[in-house]
Amino acid sequence: MTDALSAKELTLMDAYWRAANYLTVGQIYLLDNALLREPLSPAHIKVRLLGHWGTSPGQTLLYTHLNRIVTKYDANVIYLSGPGHGGPAVVAQVYLEGTYSEIYPEVSQDAEGMRRLFRQFSTPGGIPSHVSVTTPGSIHEGGELGYVLVHAFGAAFDNPDLIVAAVIGDGEAETGPLAGSWKGISYLNPARDGAVLPILYLNGYKIASPTVLGRSTDDEVRELIESHGYDVTFVAGDDPPLVHQALAGALDTCYAKIRAIQDEARRRGVSGRPRWPAIVLRTLKGWTGPKVVDGVRVEGTFRAHQVPLSEVRDNPEHLRMLEAWMKSYRPGELFDERGRLVPEVAALAPKGERRLGANPHANGGKERVELDIPDFRTLAVPVKHPATERVESTRQLGKLMREIFERKPGRANFRLFCPDETASNRLGDVFDVETRCFVGRLEPDDDHLSPDGRVMEVLSEHNCQGWLEGYTLTGRHGLFASYEAFAMVSASMTVQHAKWLEEGRKLSWRKPIPSLNILLTSTCWRNDHNGFSHQGPGLIDVVLSKKGTVSRIYLPPDANCLLSVADHCFRSRDYVNLIVIDKQPQLQWLGMDEAVQHCARGASVWHWASNEGGAQPDVVLAAAGDIPTLEVVAAAWLLRHHVPDLKVRVVNIVDLMTLFPPIAHPHGMDETSFVDLFGRDLEVVLAFHGYQRAIHELIHGRPEPDRFHVRGFNEEGTTTTPFDMVVRNGMSRYDLCLEALRRVRRDVEKATEFRKFCQEALARHRVYTREHLEDMPEVRDWVWTD
Ligand SMILES: Cc1ncc(C[n+]2csc(CCOP(=O)(O)OP(=O)(O)O)c2C)c(N)n1
Ligand SMILES: [Mg+2]
């Protein structure tokens, strides 16, 4: 086989790699004397050494070689670093190519800029140690390991020209999400989407242990990845010239294969799942670093993971070794008098937006095209009288998405991600115009399945959420619809994404991206057939813990509110929007105009359900969530019929964050509005979709918070009737009535009889459900009557 690189190219690429390695080590260790123009002394060394060397030389190598592919083929490539703790490697690279200094001019491409580059890394007031939001060209921090491949696929969908290089750590490859993400190629359409190039980086170790794949034979690794459907090319070695040649050749081959697959599909149509190329790179962990330190082997072992020389300030031998290590890259040949990369080497970097750090896809807001959303009011459910008709609310959202799918702009920029539950979640109207995506063998019995679909059904919450994240991070829009309980599977990804958005907002060069929209349906209250395992509203608590700048939680009580909320969420940017509503037929409360007003306010008094008249109510019955709304309104109805003397105000909360004081959340309503709803010292019985404590957290700091008596999900669940669920959790209409009477501060006529009525109703419920196995007709068929 002929060498991929000429002797000259090889020399220059090696120089580029050495420069990146030099800058990587400099960032980890040096405060000053960046170009080592004077003998290294302890004063030049950082007090705290915080960074990761082990993964870095492999990543600088890959980046250098991807630069070559970009330049040689004018390829459109972004780089995702799975082991994102190799932050200094990627920062070194974006600095060398010039993007870093364009965004952060104070970190200039000269000696002073290099000093700043080193000093800022992993120091207070500086930059984080990972490939984080501050790193140009990054859409993936790689802090919480496991998501690099799902993000890569998300970025590639509907981006036909893009190649996403995804570097996977061999430790990262042990995570569940990563192991599950190889199957992305069964959803990647070679005619319509871009390409993902997985690069499994086998340096053999994690922090302290060997990796499973590192200790596997080449044959075993090959079989594993081939069995996922990839065409694997191995690159291995510890001799730089040989590895350069092999890697350059491998990347040339992979590039050619990608283009051949795409050309074929774009000319002749998609026929089955192509065997996409993947690379396995087996090199030493901490390659080119110190081989042995204090008599212990470091290069090629787990000991290279973080800082191979840990006592450089105090141990003269370590200091000497650091100096020798850095000088082994021959900085004098690489950087000129002013500290600039010598022109011949610098010329290897791609130009303009082709640079990996400057590619606009990795600053997704730049690529964002607004979503073309139809007027959701045209999908309104007519509500002549509140609480008289039952509708599957999520079905209206399916209709809205159907219309969004229909209105494709030049290039489609909307997808629905769902673990196999689109129809089950009553969102199936999208199938009037869209199909489920599947790139593989199709059977005549398949239902709305094709390689061209944009409904992404993979039974993996990690894939669904990660794909949507990658899709939005590159400027496109979508929704992840999940069973409520199982959104917890990817809750940690929600947390990480919220952190990313939070940091991104602080950087003016990062343009706002479409929000991450998560629909939680099949909720805890209505998992009649699935039972306790499916009953868990925990994601609300997770999102509640995120900063108000990025977190939103909506609990629309009916279809028209859901449409209004969804429209708002689809138009928003830089948020994590959690929308919680069940899919079962449910009573409808508000006409569209009222719904829009209610959602705009976030919470309001429902006068039609209240009987306070002009007077001060005895009690406020408040609800947040669809089932709580049903129980609260039914409780108000019972009270007005049985104890008309009791004055009740009904409040509904659709935007949960309005309950926060304004200092805690930007949606927090001002005190006047809060008092308008809940008074200053009125007793409030509040039924909540999730765990009660969330409400107590929200209203902390409001006037007299002890007067809020919250009922919510109490971890009482099983396979049972809808009403039994609320009874078990003490949130039934009868429980709410009893609670209201318990809290009232005056004697109310007929209260005693009504208490008895409620207790008897609960007892009757118990007997009736055990005998008839369904809810009592008076509950099951309840509608509002005057
Ligand atoms: C989900 C997760 N668990 C644990 C960690 C802690 N951690 C940081 S780096 C690392 C080892 C990573 O090994 P590998 O993926 O092989 O990367 P590399 O060898 O390239 O450094 C671990 C366990 C993490 N960052 N994320
Ligand atoms: Mg490793």
Side-chain angles (χ1 to χ4, degrees), residues 55 83 85 143-145 169-172 201 203 205-207 211 285 305:
T55 190
H85 43 277
E144 185 167 286
L145 298 167
D170 46 356
E172 177 176 30
Y201 174 24
N203 56 24
Y205 293 91
K206 319 189 269 271
I207 297 176
T211 59
K285 189 151 184 168
H305 182 69

Side-chain angles (χ1 to χ4, degrees), residues 193-263:
D193 301 325
V196 172
L197 178 61
I199 304 171
L200 178 62
Y201 174 24
L202 295 187
N203 56 24
Y205 293 91
K206 319 189 269 271
I207 297 176
S209 304
T211 59
V212 173
L213 294 181
R215 292 281 163 99
S216 303
T217 64
D218 283 359
D219 281 348
E220 287 170 328
V221 175
R222 182 187 297 282
E223 278 169 25
L224 177 76
I225 310 218
E226 283 183 352
S227 73
H228 286 299
Y230 295 83
D231 175 2
V232 184
T233 304
F234 269 78
V235 176
D238 57 7
D239 182 14
L242 295 183
V243 175
H244 281 308
Q245 287 293 7
L247 184 54
L251 281 168
D252 279 336
T253 308
C254 291
Y255 183 80
K257 285 179 180 166
I258 289 171
R259 287 299 179 232
I261 289 169
Q262 293 177 333
D263 286 351

Side-chain angles (χ1 to χ4, degrees), residues 334-554:
L334 304 171
F335 301 100
D336 67 14
E337 265 309 295
R338 290 188 302 153
R340 298 178 67 93
L341 188 63
V342 294
E344 213 186 1
V345 180
L348 260 52
K351 306 286 175 285
E353 292 195 340
R354 281 295 194 234
R355 291 170 297 176
L356 300 183
N359 191 309
H361 290 289
N363 186 358
K366 275 190 171 177
E367 294 281 291
R368 193 191 69 238
V369 174
E370 294 304 340
L371 194 57
D372 187 1
I373 309 177
D375 181 1
F376 63 93
R377 291 172 186 80
T378 60
L379 300 169
V381 169
V383 179
K384 278 214 191 87
H385 302 288
T388 49
E389 276 179 64
R390 289 183 168 78
V391 167
E392 293 165 336
S393 297
T394 52
R395 197 165 290 285
Q396 298 309 109
L397 178 59
K399 290 184 179 152
L400 182 68
M401 289 193 286
R402 178 189 64 196
E403 299 207 7
I404 292 173
F405 274 127
E406 258 177 341
R407 299 174 170 221
K408 287 181 190 129
R411 180 181 301 166
N413 64 349
F414 181 82
R415 290 203 184 202
L416 169 61
F417 302 84
C418 185
D420 195 31
E421 302 143 5
T422 307
S424 160
N425 288 332
R426 315 291 196 265
L427 300 170
D429 280 25
V430 293
F431 296 127
D432 292 352
V433 297
E434 248 322 325
T435 58
R436 299 175 171 90
C437 179
F438 190 70
V439 182
R441 195 162 50 82
L442 302 179
E443 299 274 356
D445 292 334
D446 292 334
D447 181 23
H448 292 94
L449 194 72
S450 88
D452 301 323
R454 288 193 172 81
V455 178
M456 312 299 288
E457 287 202 336
V458 60
L459 207 173
S460 159
E461 284 72 16
H462 289 120
N463 276 284
C464 287
Q465 167 136 1
W467 291 348
L468 175 57
E469 288 178 0
Y471 203 63
T472 60
L473 284 160
T474 46
R476 287 78 57 72
H477 312 256
L479 176 82
F480 167 35
S482 175
Y483 277 22
E484 181 181 49
F486 305 135
M488 289 300 281
V489 170
S490 50
S492 199
M493 300 180 81
T494 311
V495 168
Q496 296 298 330
H497 192 75
K499 287 175 191 280
W500 178 280
L501 294 175
E502 176 71 30
E503 291 307 296
R505 294 176 78 98
K506 298 175 190 158
L507 302 169
S508 58
W509 62 270
R510 282 232 179 242
K511 301 299 168 208
I513 58 169
S515 299
L516 184 81
N517 299 311
I518 305 177
L519 172 74
L520 302 185
T521 184
S522 299
T523 64
C524 57
W525 301 106
R526 291 305 316 270
N527 249 294
D528 316 353
H529 58 312
N530 285 314
F532 202 23
S533 60
H534 288 54
Q535 293 158 344
L539 201 68
I540 292 178
D541 299 70
V542 172
V543 174
L544 213 49
S545 69
K546 297 301 117 216
K547 285 220 173 134
T549 37
V550 296
S551 58
R552 303 285 181 271
I553 300 173
Y554 298 99

Side-chain angles (χ1 to χ4, degrees), residues 27 95 127 309 355 370 412 527 554 556 589 600 650 682 700 781:
Q27 287 176 81
Y95 177 76
I127 61 166
L309 299 161
R355 291 170 297 176
E370 294 304 340
N527 249 294
Y554 298 99
W589 316 104
V650 172
L682 296 174
H700 178 77
D781 305 329

